[in-house]
């Protein structure tokens, strides 16, 4: 199947890419021959597929200082965040052309387009274009006999035929790529054309390309710029690196060596064992996943983080929780606000300080912002795509490293 580009939703409740294998769901195509992929997750303000979490009178008072110099506070531009939210709802705003954020460093590079660019097709007869492509590709998908079935953590599933195709990306073509051609698709990816599997399994897209590395950079969820996905690119210099681990029990997951979380420039006294996988059964640990929106922390870790953040935001007016978010603020009267920094501390001593926009996000257009982490009762924690936005995430599969390069989209 030839395609000119792969289009991925990148707004505030759907971002793209998943593990397992590439799937083609033959019922919703975007204009200009762009396949649109959506991760199988719930809307941002209900349950979203996946997962990252306890006591102390004052978590900041009992925390230990990290040896790295991390600012205690940062500023959130409330006005700009609300304006972007309003622009997302204003379809006329998206008539402007999307801009590529950076020059691709690989010949095998995909542009990931925002949902807004797909919702405003310029084709005059979009319905007939879509139906003609559906008819063509549905007929093509009926020619195989091998079946597959894939299910996801949120209950979504897809059943169909297992086929091979030639995939064209720009000027490059790859033959005999195994894909699933879905006919019975249920769950939260309904309305998307498919999933692009980037996980660690043998049927994932990087594995089938024999790639030793790949990277993606997701721009801000409300941005008009284009995100990118690249294969076999050099590992970025000055990236914040962490060990990339694998688990034979869950081969599709990318486990990352997270040791702690900091708030206000100080490392919280969370036992490192709460971030580690059980060496016996392989349960627990921390994975990084572009198909999960909000970072999910096991409940004990989340409670440490939440208490510390609340301690550092006592001067802000609280608002009612929204869906899975239990810590929200009324910032309707503010232009900008100073908030505590939040940082991830990895094995080897590297620290990634998050941008305020990646952990305080608007949930409406009137100034309600919520702390964009959520608890899970699972022992598995997941770093989601909201906390990855604006950062190039690089996977060096050959050397078992993951790198984070802030502001490198």
């Amino acid at each position: 199947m030839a395609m000119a580009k792969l289009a991925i939703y990148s707004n505030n409740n759907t971002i793209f890419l998943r593990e397992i294998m590439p799937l083609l769901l033959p019922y919703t195509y975007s204009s200009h021959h762009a396949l649109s992929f959506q991760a199988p997750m719930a809307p941002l303000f209900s349950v979203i597929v996946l997962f990252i979490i306890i006591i102390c009178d004052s978590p900041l008072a009992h925390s230990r200082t990290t040896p790295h110099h991390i600012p205690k506070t940062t500023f959130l531009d409330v006005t700009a965040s609300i304006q972007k939210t309003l622009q997302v709802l204003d379809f006329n705003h998206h008539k402007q052309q999307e801009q590529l954020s950076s020059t691709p460093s690989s010949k095998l590079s995909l542009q990931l387009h925002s949902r807004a660019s797909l919702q405003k097709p310029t084709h005059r007869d979009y319905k007939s274009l879509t139906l003609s492509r559906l008819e063509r590709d549905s007929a093509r998908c009926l020619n195989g006999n091998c079946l597959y079935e894939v299910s996801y953590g949120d209950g979504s599933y897809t059943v169909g035929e297992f086929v091979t195709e030639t995939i064209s990306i720009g000027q490059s073509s790859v033959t005999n790529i195994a894909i699933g051609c879905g006919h019975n698709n249920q769950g939260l990816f309904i309305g998307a054309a498919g999933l692009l599997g980037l996980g660690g399994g043998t049927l994932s897209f990087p594995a089938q390309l024999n790639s030793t590395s790949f990277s993606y950079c997701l721009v801000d969820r409300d941005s008009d710029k284009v995100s990118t996905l690249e294969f076999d690119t050099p590992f970025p210099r000055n990236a914040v690196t962490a060990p990339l681990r694998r688990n034979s029990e869950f081969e599709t997951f990318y486990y990352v060596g997270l040791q702690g979380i900091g708030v206000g420039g100080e490392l919280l006294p969370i036992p490192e064992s709460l971030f580690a996988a059980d060496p016996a059964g392989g349960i627990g640990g921390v994975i990084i996943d572009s198909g999960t929106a909000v970072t999910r922390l096991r409940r004990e870790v989340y409670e440490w983080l939440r208490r510390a953040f609340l301690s550092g935001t006592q001067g802000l007016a609280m608002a009612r929780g929204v869906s899975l978010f239990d810590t929200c603020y009324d910032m309707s009267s503010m232009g900008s606000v100073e908030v505590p920094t939040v940082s991830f501390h990895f094995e080897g001593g590297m620290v990634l300080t998050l941008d305020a926009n990646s952990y305080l996000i608007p949930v409406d257009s009137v100034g309600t912002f919520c702390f964009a982490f959520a608890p899970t009762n699972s022992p598995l924690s997941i770093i989601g795509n909201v906390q990855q936005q604006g950062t190039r995430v690089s996977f060096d599969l050959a050397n078992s490293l993951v790198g984070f390069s802030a502001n490198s989209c």
Side-chain angles (χ1 to χ4, degrees):
M1 168 170 296
M3 64 189 81
K5 57 184 178 180
L6 297 179
I8 310 295
Y9 296 166
S10 61
N11 76 338
N12 63 343
N13 65 347
T14 46
I15 296 283
F16 82 99
L17 315 174
R18 194 67 173 169
E19 60 280 310
I20 309 294
M21 64 180 177
L23 300 177
L24 180 62
L25 313 181
Y27 48 83
T28 49
Y29 285 86
S30 303
S31 61
H32 306 299
H33 306 283
L35 287 176
S36 63
F37 292 80
Q38 181 178 17
M41 63 184 75
L44 181 61
F45 306 133
S46 52
V47 179
I48 308 191
V49 215
L50 314 171
F51 327 100
I52 332 180
I53 333 185
I54 191 163
I55 55 188
C56 208
D57 295 333
S58 175
L60 287 177
H62 293 277
S63 61
R64 59 188 186 275
T65 303
T66 172
H68 297 270
H69 176 68
I70 302 174
K72 292 185 176 182
T73 61
T74 187
F75 284 90
L76 173 70
D77 191 334
V78 175
T79 301
S81 294
I82 295 176
Q83 186 60 39
K84 287 181 180 179
T85 301
L86 293 172
Q87 289 173 353
V88 168
L89 301 175
D90 179 10
F91 292 121
N92 292 324
H93 168 77
H94 294 289
K95 290 182 178 179
Q96 64 188 40
Q97 185 177 2
E98 286 185 315
Q99 298 177 348
L100 184 62
S101 304
S102 61
T103 302
S105 56
S106 168
K107 292 182 179 180
L108 194 56
S109 176
L110 312 181
Q111 295 182 14
L112 313 180
H113 295 262
S114 67
R115 168 176 286 189
S117 69
L118 303 181
Q119 288 179 328
K120 295 298 294 180
T122 57
H123 195 279
R124 292 185 177 181
D125 192 0
Y126 180 57
K127 182 177 181 180
S128 64
L129 172 66
T130 301
L131 292 177
S132 66
R133 288 181 59 79
L134 287 175
E135 181 180 358
R136 183 195 68 188
D137 289 303
S138 295
R140 177 182 296 170
C141 288
L142 293 174
N143 292 330
N145 295 318
C146 298
L147 300 179
Y148 77 89
E149 180 177 358
V150 176
S151 59
Y152 296 94
D154 67 339
S156 300
Y157 67 87
T158 173
V159 179
E161 287 158 317
F162 191 52
V163 300
T164 59
E165 278 283 11
T166 296
I167 304 296
S168 297
I169 304 170
Q171 301 301 315
S172 301
S173 295
V174 187
T175 60
N176 296 320
I177 295 294
I179 64 173
C181 187
H183 298 298
N184 183 7
N185 312 294
Q186 297 294 326
L188 298 167
F189 46 64
I190 296 299
L195 316 173
L196 183 63
L198 294 179
T202 57
L203 291 176
S204 73
F205 198 55
Q208 294 193 68
L209 294 178
N210 293 318
S211 296
T212 59
S213 66
F214 70 92
S215 70
Y216 56 79
C217 202
L218 307 177
V219 298
D220 184 277
R221 59 192 171 277
D222 296 331
S223 175
D224 287 327
K225 293 184 177 180
V226 175
S227 301
T228 57
L229 168 64
E230 300 178 359
F231 297 92
D232 291 323
T233 55
F235 202 75
R237 295 182 178 181
N238 302 321
V240 173
T241 60
L244 184 64
R245 297 199 170 92
R246 309 305 290 273
N247 186 332
S248 60
E249 298 294 325
F250 306 99
E251 64 172 6
T252 65
F253 291 165
Y254 291 119
Y255 287 80
V256 60
L258 183 69
Q259 281 189 324
I261 299 177
V263 174
E266 297 187 1
L267 182 62
L268 300 178
I270 304 172
E272 293 183 10
S273 60
L274 295 179
F275 299 103
D278 181 357
I283 300 174
V286 181
I287 67 171
I288 182 167
D289 181 24
S290 61
T292 299
V294 175
T295 292
R296 296 297 188 101
L297 297 163
R298 59 186 297 172
R299 187 165 296 278
E300 302 96 318
V301 175
Y302 175 75
E303 291 301 331
W304 278 105
L305 174 61
R306 179 177 180 271
R307 288 171 183 266
F309 195 79
L310 283 172
S311 177
T313 55
Q314 294 181 7
L316 298 180
M318 301 297 296
R320 295 182 62 181
V322 177
S323 187
L324 77 167
F325 299 130
D326 58 14
T327 304
C328 300
Y329 301 89
D330 179 4
M331 300 186 184
S332 57
S333 62
M334 299 180 176
S336 66
V337 60
E338 189 175 12
V339 295
T341 55
V342 176
S343 55
F344 290 151
H345 295 246
F346 299 106
E347 294 177 21
M350 291 284 195
V351 178
L352 176 66
T353 302
L354 302 178
D355 188 278
N357 289 298
S358 69
Y359 58 86
L360 280 172
I361 62 174
V363 295
D364 57 30
S365 59
V366 296
T368 304
F369 284 70
C370 291
F371 191 48
F373 291 87
T376 176
N377 292 324
S378 167
L380 180 70
S381 296
I382 301 181
I383 299 176
N385 61 53
V386 170
Q387 282 69 43
Q388 298 175 46
Q389 289 170 19
T391 298
R392 178 158 294 279
V393 183
S394 304
F395 295 83
D396 185 343
L397 305 178
N399 296 302
S400 298
L401 284 176
V402 59
F404 302 90
S405 306
N407 304 314
S408 297
C409 285

